[in-house]
Amino acid sequence: MNKNLSKLFSPNSVAIVGASNTPGKVGYSILKNLIEAEFVGEIYPININDKVVQGIKAHHNLGDVKKNIDLVIICVPAPVVIKVMQDCVKANIKNAIIISAGFAETGSEGKKLQEELEKIVSENKINVVGPNTLGIINTENGLNASFASTFPRQGNIAIVSQSGALCTAILDWARQEKVGFSRFISTGNKAFLSESDYFDYLQHDPKTKAVFVYMESMKNTKKFLKEASELAKRKPVIVLKSGRSAQGQKAASSHTGALSVDDEIFSIACQKTNMIRVNSIEGFFDLAKTLSKIKKIKKFNLAVVTNAGGPGVIVADSASVHNFPLPEFSSKTINAVKEINPHASNPLDLIGDAKPIDYRTALRVLQDDSGIDLVYCLLTPQSMTNPERVADIIISLNKRKPIICSFIGGTSVSHPKRFLKENGVLEFETPERGIKALSRIKGYYERKNLKKIFDQKITPNKEIKKTLKSKPKLNLKESFELLNKHNIKTTPTIFVTSIKEIEQKINLIKFPVALKTGSGLAHKTDFGLVKANIKNKEELIKEAEKMFLISKEKKLEEILAIQEMIQGQEILVSSITNEFGKIITYGLGGIFVEIMKDVSQKIAPINESDLEEMFSEVKGTKVLLGARTKKKYNIDSLKKLIKSISDLALTYPEIKEIEFNPVIVTENDSFVVDCVINTNN
Amino acid sequence: MNKNLSKLFSPNSVAIVGASNTPGKVGYSILKNLIEAEFVGEIYPININDKVVQGIKAHHNLGDVKKNIDLVIICVPAPVVIKVMQDCVKANIKNAIIISAGFAETGSEGKKLQEELEKIVSENKINVVGPNTLGIINTENGLNASFASTFPRQGNIAIVSQSGALCTAILDWARQEKVGFSRFISTGNKAFLSESDYFDYLQHDPKTKAVFVYMESMKNTKKFLKEASELAKRKPVIVLKSGRSAQGQKAASSHTGALSVDDEIFSIACQKTNMIRVNSIEGFFDLAKTLSKIKKIKKFNLAVVTNAGGPGVIVADSASVHNFPLPEFSSKTINAVKEINPHASNPLDLIGDAKPIDYRTALRVLQDDSGIDLVYCLLTPQSMTNPERVADIIISLNKRKPIICSFIGGTSVSHPKRFLKENGVLEFETPERGIKALSRIKGYYERKNLKKIFDQKITPNKEIKKTLKSKPKLNLKESFELLNKHNIKTTPTIFVTSIKEIEQKINLIKFPVALKTGSGLAHKTDFGLVKANIKNKEELIKEAEKMFLISKEKKLEEILAIQEMIQGQEILVSSITNEFGKIITYGLGGIFVEIMKDVSQKIAPINESDLEEMFSEVKGTKVLLGARTKKKYNIDSLKKLIKSISDLALTYPEIKEIEFNPVIVTENDSFVVDCVINTNN
């Protein structure tokens, strides 16, 4: 069941345990922040010594308050926190922020304290932020429940950050950039509430239009995935996850003590959930600025205006790199600007002697073009182009249709840039950054409409479940039976356990055949347990005798598989288990996977758009489309097979790994030739 | 012969044709700029009406001056420029800057004018900048021969830019960033002098320590390559070339009328010459800032100091992405900072309550560590960390060993950031940008020591030259003869022109063999003119009869090649001709090239480090190293072959294309199996 965090963010009353009259103390800052932010509810300072704290009547402890307390902020030393939490239980308080540090992040002593806390909290179902947090902020009701020295302006962006230091940097940056926030959450150690809880809350928060997340480690990945996906269906989610490299993970673990998640898989998870992943603070800031200032845009036909050809070319390049085609202007538009530039095209060059009035004309005309959703306005310092005047014009026109600006230069554009910023115009130091930020948001909306989760479910077979629970891996016969029961085609195969059996079944065999061990061994070739292209009975029996002998020697199950040789393209399809669930891999077999690493991975369940992405991400797919042999392989059967492996992996959680290697895809169908299934046993 | 540009940049006397008393006119701005920059030589304004211009005695025309004029700046309307150039010839003036626009950039009329100009200039060997230029600047002698409104401070950076607008933006930016310049060149239309001439001059200019280039089109690519390479041997060259995409090229051609070069090949050229290519204005600015402020650094062992764990992790990630390992601290260093952080490692976390004195201690200790060349200092706004004080400390320590800074935030760090900047400290908005800029410079110095051009030369064979000049392509026999004469091994091959000849030579043939047309046809398979694995004489004759028939029908030369079948890995090696010269390609054959585009290209001559790069850039090289078959193929023989194709292509300029496809590399050697040679005829 999801937690109800509404009183955490919108309490009617707040108690501060450790509220202080001494400047410099955290308990001083927090109370001061609440008062200064004009929190709309009751405030109850708790202080064992002072009767009045910062002008407000104080209580000795929580029990003395005798009023309903919705939220308690705790900023006493770590060892005292346990006692305070017990008081919370007695007073039936359901929401707490533990500012205090000194828990899991400090080592084994702190870890023990944190475990004690966890016990109390989970038994009593208390929503706890932290410990070791900067606190939370709700700009709507003046709840500055943090010791951050800045209270942000109201806005539409929520921040969820694992780094308190980054929080203060963001607040400081936002003040300068005039970016406002709805909610601000420093997650701290995430001992209780973590991203997924906040995501659940923010989904339904009407003030929040976009969510920005900084994280280093992850709790409960599957829930994270689910809530992130739900949240991203409603609003853009931007995530900066550090610990991307071994070097970064080392730094992160010495910093938080938490373990990092596999970074590549995290990227796959972002793609699956449609979160926008950024890899730099700059990208984080640029997107925050964009989503804060351009609120409603969902279409991205971009016109560029410039007084400088060179930067115009650079923007066109940059747009192209970020998959941002610049549309042609309508003939009406071309006509309307022909006095400024007789050969108008997009980017529209106003030529170096552009006057402010030319900017005005061009901007208005482009805004009136129904084929244009956004205008990017470039300016370089030129003698005829008064940047202050152009800034005025942009500010006056910005409400008609969004204008994004880059005034490239330094001294002579710094004032106009500040003026633009102060008046709510989106402005970037260089146009490449602006284009990049816009392209990420464009990508979000494109993918938002794509996602379709399959409802397709398959019924687990009881017998199979029993088998899977009884052994660490299946042999090939068992694997094939499992596949066949779920309508997955396997190459025609006869299993035999003796030479005698071969002789009995010889009439069923269509030569040429391949012979191999059916024991479920992974690297058969290395043991001489595969032989292709066997042409007749004599050869078959000779090879079978050899393989039975090797099987005996190696203490393998003495079972061989005789398979028809099917001509086609080899494919690898597999499922492995990790913290995100089941990861499905597709690639062409052999060298393509091993040397070229030409594979695509997605998190199960695999949906139609995942399949499209898998096929387009793998370069070798071109072979299946006929690039090499001019044959067109049956891709639909392969898609069905990839969906099936995803279904199997989800239906039977007992399965740890399944690998179809190879699948042979022909012009008509796809067949599993070999299969390894390992269970959790 | 290279041009001598010393008087262009360091004239003793300058005449301005079109010098004016009317503010707003270009001729006014230029004279004013020269005067204000306190140009150290004589100034001769030329004006047909006024006797005195801006307080200086003016002359009616150049001939009236009667003194030696080293440089003339021309800012009269385009049609008058021809006349002025004729005056220059009469007055024996050897250097001119044509500011005037209205030439090739405007269309066919202007093109004609420019051609007239070219004739005069080339006949009289005049060094001409432009036309259609902002002008040039030399900060050393106060030569502001431009109409830019800003005269930059002196510094160690030269700018060569094809965009005048970008020039003004850079000047404006530099004033704010306190970046100084040695020379500043707006190339204009590059009708006469182009980048290669300026590169030649800047190589020997002691004031210039780094060269920044913006370009959209290229003149005389081979000379460009040569001069860029010479220049980059001496100092870092940073190049921003736009028109990277089709969209950008379209914008560029409508802007300059010039044709763009193939962008991928341009990147290969940058790698070859060791120019640093950047793809954004931001990258350009960041490198300019870095090279202007950190002058002597050639080693890049980087220590990171931070008061925030999160950003520390981000920096570690970023360093890793840019191939920037963070070295371990010495035990002495760890000891010296253990009071600040008992678990010190790189990045060094001073913890959120870091005081300025902690920064001071840490910075000094890290600077004293002989294993550290640079310190990156991060700061986020925290209550205990006074950013102004930390900035003071950094400024005072910066001279001991370079400190690079990122103060992450907005309002509360903007003053300290400005203070750092004003005091010459290198400062970046975010650490990722700083790390990226440093990594590019690090890469430059690493590659600088690598480059070794082969001296290896081969002597052209007269007979071969004759053959190459006589036909559009060679047949396989001729190709093989050419290769064998230059010690390139081909697979054992017997050429026959009739069935009778096969029968005569049957004893020389070792079956199995491959049979194919020897006519030099490119797509043999499509015509049924290749057959592998022929096992005996009968089969051979049957196939040969078929092929002779097809050859006759298709009007191909009736010659067949009978080749021994060699087992090994197929490789493609080729040389094509383009504006940069000979481009050599290496990749594994077939699917690797066609589908995976897994190839590496370099510009001939191929040297040892090119070969290393080629082999490491191609993923499939792992196959040759034994990744798949456990065989180790003879890579040395393949390297020799790649060098050989480069030599052949350079030795015989008559050859337009050579393709070895396939080469078979075995465990012992490499053999050309098929070869196509097309000539320029």
Side-chain angles (χ1 to χ4, degrees), chain B residues 153-169:
Chain B
R153 48 160 66 189
Q154 284 196 26
N156 57 357
I157 284 176
I159 300 277
V160 180
S161 169
Q162 191 173 350
S163 161
L166 199 66
C167 282
T168 58

Side-chain angles (χ1 to χ4, degrees), chain B residues 419-433:
Chain B
F419 190 49
L420 287 169
K421 202 180 285 179
E422 275 162 11
N423 285 279
V425 177
L426 181 57
E427 188 275 327
F428 291 95
E429 198 185 318
T430 59
E432 297 97 319
R433 279 171 67 173

